[in-house]
Amino acid sequence: MLGALAEATTRIEIGALVTWNSYRDPDLPADMARTVDHVSPGRPILGLGSGWSSGTTQRDCDEYGYEFGTAGSRLDHLGDALPRIENRRARLKLVARHADIWHGFGDPEQTERKHRILDEHCANSGRDPADIERAAGVSSPSYDLAPLREWISGISSSGPGRWACSSARTTAREAWASMARVTQRLQDG
């Protein structure tokens, strides 16, 4: 699918938001990203994570026969995989050492705090924080977006440059409609 999108477009960057590292041997997503890079030079985004502690992830592991492990063991597994691919605090340490883009979730205060922590980890590992593009996830809320709008307008160049709008809708059409509403509400002020 990503290869087809890459071939059919000329400007957009191509990639899944975040793929859980433990679903596949790390060489497979690395090879998949290289393939997309051949089709769309410089446009693939490889998003890997350690897996989040949700009922969905646990259920997936049970159904596929994977070991779910602990948050710490999943981070260790991701840490072992990242050097082969080369592309909360422990995760941000890995981001500071290996990532080109960091995608985080949370309200404005949480996201801003995570940016500061990432900047500290970058400084400790000798990396310029500006080398990591920042992204932030925004769910499709029905609540007042004024605090988010205010935060977006006040962020510095170190703030998120990308925004991902997630939706728990059941169909693609519903998800797109929900994202369009959030985007419009943010633009309308």
Side-chain angles (χ1 to χ4, degrees):
M1 173 76 102
L2 296 179
L5 284 170
E7 201 282 325
T9 62
T10 58
R11 297 183 317 174
I12 65 169
E13 294 175 311
I14 310 294
L17 179 61
V18 178
T19 300
W20 182 24
N21 173 65
S22 298
Y23 276 142
R24 298 178 177 91
D25 181 278
D27 295 322
L28 179 59
D31 190 48
M32 293 163 66
R34 278 190 296 276
T35 300
V36 173
D37 189 43
H38 289 305
V39 178
S40 65
R43 293 190 293 135
I45 297 174
L46 177 59
L48 289 178
S50 61
W52 57 311
S53 298
S54 75
T56 304
T57 306
Q58 177 71 58
R59 187 183 67 232
D60 287 349
C61 286
D62 293 344
E63 289 177 4
Y64 291 121
Y66 299 149
E67 180 182 341
F68 183 64
T70 64
S73 68
R74 292 191 306 273
L75 282 168
D76 289 343
H77 191 236
L78 177 62
D80 292 342
L82 286 173
R84 291 172 59 188
I85 296 169
E86 295 184 7
N87 199 20
R88 287 176 184 126
R89 289 189 179 263
R91 179 175 59 120
L92 292 175
K93 286 180 184 177
L94 295 173
V95 169
R97 289 198 312 257
H98 298 284
D100 295 319
I101 301 172
W102 173 69
H103 181 92
F105 290 92
D107 64 31
E109 292 80 21
Q110 291 171 324
T111 303
E112 194 171 318
R113 182 182 58 78
K114 291 175 184 178
H115 282 277
R116 286 193 307 269
I117 293 169
L118 179 56
D119 290 346
E120 290 172 16
H121 289 313
C122 286
N124 292 339
S125 64
R127 186 167 184 198
D128 183 351
D131 291 344
I132 301 173
E133 188 172 347
R134 311 300 173 95
V138 179
S139 62
S140 52
S142 58
Y143 55 81
D144 179 22
L145 290 175
L148 178 62
R149 239 187 331 274
E150 182 180 324
W151 180 67
I152 291 170
S153 67
I155 58 175
S156 67
S157 60
S158 67
R162 297 172 190 264
W163 296 94
C165 184
S166 61
S167 175
R169 307 296 179 204
T170 58
T171 68
R173 183 181 309 256
E174 289 173 341
W176 280 108
S178 176
M179 287 184 244
R181 285 191 301 273
V182 169
T183 301
Q184 188 62 51
R185 287 178 61 207
L186 284 169
Q187 291 172 345
D188 288 346

Coordinates of all heavy atoms in Angstrom, one line a residue, residues 10 27 40 45-46 52 71 73 84 89 104 131 179:
T10 N 3.8 12.7 -5.7 CA 5.1 13.3 -6.0 C 5.6 14.1 -4.8 O 6.8 14.4 -4.8 CB 5.1 14.2 -7.2 OG1 4.1 15.2 -7.1 CG2 4.8 13.3 -8.5
D27 N 14.3 -6.2 10.6 CA 14.8 -6.1 9.3 C 13.7 -6.0 8.2 O 13.9 -5.4 7.2 CB 15.7 -7.4 8.9 CG 16.9 -7.4 9.8 OD1 17.5 -6.4 10.1 OD2 17.3 -8.6 10.2
S40 N 10.0 6.6 -4.0 CA 9.8 8.0 -3.7 C 11.0 8.5 -2.9 O 11.0 8.7 -1.7 CB 8.5 8.2 -2.8 OG 8.7 7.6 -1.5
I45 N 8.6 7.7 5.7 CA 8.8 7.9 7.1 C 8.6 6.6 7.8 O 7.6 5.9 7.6 CB 7.7 8.9 7.6 CG1 7.9 10.3 7.0 CG2 7.8 9.0 9.2 CD1 6.8 11.2 7.4
L46 N 9.6 6.1 8.5 CA 9.5 4.9 9.3 C 9.2 5.2 10.7 O 10.1 5.7 11.4 CB 10.8 4.1 9.1 CG 10.8 2.7 9.8 CD1 9.7 1.8 9.4 CD2 12.2 2.1 9.6
W52 N 2.2 0.2 23.1 CA 1.6 0.9 24.2 C 0.7 -0.1 25.0 O 0.3 -1.1 24.5 CB 0.8 2.1 23.8 CG -0.2 1.9 22.8 CD1 -0.2 1.3 21.6 CD2 -1.6 2.4 22.9 NE1 -1.3 1.3 20.9 CE2 -2.2 2.0 21.7 CE3 -2.3 3.2 23.8 CZ2 -3.6 2.4 21.4 CZ3 -3.6 3.5 23.5 CH2 -4.2 3.1 22.3
A71 N 6.3 -3.0 29.9 CA 6.7 -1.7 29.2 C 8.2 -1.7 29.1 O 8.8 -1.4 28.0 CB 6.2 -0.5 30.0
S73 N 10.4 -4.3 29.1 CA 10.9 -5.3 28.1 C 10.6 -4.9 26.7 O 11.4 -5.2 25.8 CB 10.3 -6.7 28.4 OG 8.9 -6.8 28.1
R84 N 19.8 -1.9 14.3 CA 19.7 -2.7 13.1 C 19.0 -1.9 12.0 O 19.2 -2.2 10.8 CB 18.9 -4.0 13.4 CG 19.7 -4.9 14.3 CD 18.9 -6.1 14.7 NE 18.5 -6.9 13.6 CZ 17.6 -7.9 13.8 NH1 17.2 -8.2 15.0 NH2 17.2 -8.6 12.7
R89 N 10.5 8.5 29.3 CA 11.9 8.9 29.4 C 12.8 7.9 28.7 O 13.7 8.3 28.0 CB 12.3 9.1 30.8 CG 11.7 10.3 31.5 CD 12.3 10.6 32.8 NE 11.7 11.8 33.4 CZ 12.2 13.0 33.3 NH1 13.3 13.2 32.7 NH2 11.6 14.0 33.9
G104 N 4.5 12.4 19.4 CA 4.0 12.2 20.7 C 2.5 12.5 20.9 O 1.9 13.2 20.0
D131 N 17.6 18.7 15.2 CA 17.8 17.6 14.2 C 16.6 16.7 14.2 O 16.4 15.9 13.3 CB 19.0 16.8 14.4 CG 20.3 17.6 14.1 OD1 20.2 18.7 13.4 OD2 21.4 17.2 14.5
M179 N -11.8 14.3 11.1 CA -10.6 15.1 11.0 C -10.8 16.4 10.4 O -10.2 17.4 10.8 CB -9.5 14.3 10.3 CG -9.0 13.1 11.1 SD -7.7 12.3 10.3 CE -8.4 10.7 10.0

